[in-house]
Amino acid sequence: MTQKFQYNDLKLFHKIFYETSPIKLPSFLQKYNPELHDRRATRQQTKRDSTDIICTEQPRVDLFKNCYFYRCHLEWNLLPKELRNTAEHHLFSSRLKDHLW
């Protein structure tokens, strides 16, 4: 059951990321841009690409950790880059299904 929720959450997040949904990313989430971040790259930063999402706010309460956008940006960043780079929604959905099951 949790994989079904994760599947639906990530499908919606994909639409939001590629701006095919009227819902926009909240201000505390930003697409990763290497030129805007610190030039002293850490190992984690060198693994990032333009499909990664950065959270500018640190959760102070557990309630924020359960927020849709915070929860989904973490799941999104764990997906393989090839999957996140799939811009067509129908292809993303089928590849995500293969990835999760």
Side-chain angles (χ1 to χ4, degrees):
M1 188 64 131
T2 56
Q3 285 180 323
K4 179 75 171 167
F5 287 124
Q6 184 182 21
Y7 173 72
N8 288 325
D9 284 350
L10 287 170
K11 278 184 14 178
L12 177 59
F13 198 84
H14 178 268
K15 287 182 179 180
I16 295 167
F17 182 85
Y18 284 101
E19 299 173 354
T20 59
S21 168
I23 303 169
K24 303 297 179 203
L25 281 174
S27 60
F28 63 87
L29 292 179
Q30 300 173 356
K31 294 180 181 180
Y32 177 72
N33 185 348
E35 286 126 27
L36 296 178
H37 292 86
D38 192 358
R39 300 220 184 257
R40 293 173 287 146
T42 64
R43 285 185 194 181
Q44 184 180 13
Q45 287 174 333
T46 56
K47 293 180 183 177
R48 290 187 172 154
D49 69 353
S50 62
T51 60
D52 282 326
I53 300 290
I54 306 291
C55 184
T56 59
E57 298 288 326
Q58 293 300 318
R60 295 186 187 127
V61 293
D62 288 340
L63 186 63
F64 184 65
K65 290 180 184 178
N66 294 324
C67 163
Y68 169 79
F69 282 107
Y70 185 78
R71 183 182 74 241
C72 281
H73 104 275
L74 295 174
E75 292 175 7
W76 176 262
N77 287 341
L78 291 175
L79 291 175
K81 290 179 185 178
E82 297 80 26
L83 185 56
R84 288 182 284 163
N85 284 326
T86 307
E88 295 83 18
H89 187 70
H90 66 282
L91 288 175
F92 175 81
S93 296
S94 65
R95 291 176 183 171
L96 178 63
K97 193 178 282 186
D98 292 341
H99 175 75
L100 293 176
W101 286 286

